[in-house]
Amino acid sequence: MKTVSAVTDLRRERQTLSGTLGLVPTMGALHEGHLSLVRRAKAENDHVGVSIFVNPAQFNPNEDLSKYPHSLERDLQLLDNEGVHLVWTPTPDIVYPPGYQTYISVEEVARPLEGERRPGHFRGVATVVAKLFNAFTPHRAYFGQKDAQQVVVVKRMAADLNFPLEIVVCPTVREPDGLAMSSRNVYLNPQERQTAAVLYRALCAAKHAYDSGERRGDSLRAIMASAIAVEPLAQIDYVSAADPDTLAELQTVERGALLSLAVRIGNTRLIDNFLLTETPNSKLQTPNLRFGL
Ligand code: AMP
């Protein structure tokens, strides 16, 4: 496995990789969710590239950039064990050198949900992902359903800017109690960690209602909200039942829905989602998740 920081080194090493390349962008502090993307990329491509970069442009001034978890040595060992070929670990100065002033703004699909609560977040995401696509020139790029709006934004950006690659969406990997794996879960104290499974329970309650025939958006949102309200440590940021492509809130679910929510547990903000498919009782997390284009 080659680990590089400078863009010139990345380009040189990239040129030595023949056949197809699968890219997995990450912010490090790797867990099984990240590794599931790496394994999928490995299964579908001749070579796998991974980026580890905590992207300052996607954090607001009041967010957790300075205390975001780092574990570079351990991350590199995990990636080596998975048979990854090339890892890019740039510093902020390499990605955004002095004088940098070019950003990518995806419009409508970046506005609601996370976009509304985290102004500028998707501008940072779209910009860094475009730079990663240019630097690695991958054939496929792997993203987790965990960050569903990110998938929709990245798919839109890749299509609009004619990046010649396939975006592959991988199912959310969960802890035994249903909590979606996240680098931010390390912030939770034991009591908060127990509470955190409420996101999954709220999504399951709404999915259960949907499978039983409930199609009113307001009811699905209310079911999630009341499941969270029973937990004194949990504070709702938003609950949503939206069109999986446009992310507009639905009055009535007619052709599937993206159920999503953001909840604060103490000082930690967690997100999760389920994709409801058109056919009732169908499995939520199919190998080829289709939403956002
Ligand atoms: P991050 O390091 O949080 O930026 O995540 C890097 C990639 O891993 C993103 O595409 C995430 O959606 C994905 N990811 C994060 N957590 C999970 C999870 N629990 N299951 C599947 N993919 C995940």
Side-chain angles (χ1 to χ4, degrees):
M1 185 174 84
K2 282 273 189 319
T3 303
V4 294
S5 293
V7 178
T8 47
D9 293 340
L10 176 66
R11 287 204 192 283
R12 193 191 56 246
E13 292 302 330
R14 167 67 182 98
Q15 279 180 355
T16 68
L17 304 177
S18 55
T20 57
L21 178 72
L23 170 66
V24 181
T26 82
M27 299 204 298
L30 301 182
H31 51 66
E32 279 296 315
H34 298 111
L35 297 183
S36 73
L37 272 54
V38 169
R39 289 174 195 138
R40 176 90 175 259
K42 183 112 173 100
E44 295 180 351
N45 299 277
D46 298 311
H47 293 101
V48 177
V50 174
S51 59
I52 298 179
F53 178 58
V54 183
N55 176 30
Q58 70 188 67
F59 287 76
N60 288 317
N62 59 346
E63 290 181 342
D64 57 350
L65 173 62
S66 62
K67 61 184 180 88
Y68 195 84
H70 289 262
S71 53
L72 186 58
E73 287 303 305
R74 180 177 168 276
D75 291 352
L76 294 176
Q77 190 57 59
L78 288 169
L79 296 176
D80 200 15
N81 294 347
E82 296 294 335
V84 167
H85 303 89
L86 180 56
V87 183
W88 191 28
T89 59
T91 58
D93 257 23
I94 290 172
V95 178
Y96 305 108
Y100 189 91
Q101 47 188 296
T102 305
Y103 292 89
I104 295 174
S105 277
V106 176
E107 310 253 316
E108 275 171 43
V109 291
R111 273 191 202 117
L113 306 172
E114 292 299 291
E116 193 177 328
R117 277 76 184 187
R118 305 182 67 188
H121 172 66
F122 287 120
R123 177 179 184 258
V125 169
T127 301
V128 81
V129 170
K131 292 192 62 131
L132 292 170
F133 288 176
N134 278 329
F136 276 92
T137 60
H139 297 82
R140 299 186 184 86
Y142 293 80
F143 293 87
Q145 189 201 332
K146 162 76 174 21
D147 299 285
Q149 190 175 14
Q150 173 168 281
V151 167
V152 178
V153 168
V154 167
K155 279 187 172 180
R156 186 74 259 163
M157 184 274 289
D160 289 353
L161 297 184
N162 308 110
F163 279 103
L165 49 76
E166 184 190 348
I167 307 289
V168 182
V169 186
C170 302
T172 302
V173 178
R174 300 179 178 282
E175 300 287 355
D177 65 355
L179 174 64
M181 288 193 181
S182 164
S183 307
R184 291 187 167 94
N185 292 350
V186 300
Y187 300 148
L188 302 168
N189 68 31
Q191 201 188 358
E192 291 169 342
R193 170 62 191 82
Q194 231 184 346
T195 301
V198 74
L199 280 82
Y200 180 70
R201 286 199 297 274
L203 290 166
C204 286
K207 147 98 171 124
H208 180 73
Y210 177 79
D211 285 343
S212 310
E214 182 58 78
R215 292 293 182 272
R216 291 168 300 176
D218 278 344
S219 302
L220 295 170
R221 287 182 284 269
I223 288 165
M224 290 188 277
S226 47
I228 291 158
V230 301
E231 288 287 352
L233 289 182
Q235 255 204 319
I236 296 173
D237 197 348
Y238 63 79
V239 292
S240 164
D243 181 282
D245 299 329
T246 66
L247 303 183
E249 289 304 316
L250 290 172
Q251 232 186 347
T252 311
V253 182
E254 278 163 1
R255 35 165 232 103
L258 180 71
L259 299 180
S260 68
L261 70 184
V263 177
R264 278 179 199 284
I265 315 274
N267 291 324
T268 306
R269 184 175 180 279
L270 300 176
I271 60 171
D272 200 352
N273 69 86
F274 276 4
L275 189 61
L276 300 181
T277 53
E278 285 169 65
T279 330
N281 302 315
S282 65
K283 282 187 94 179
L284 275 179
Q285 297 187 335
T286 52
N288 287 308
L289 298 155
R290 297 226 53 88
F291 58 104
L293 291 189

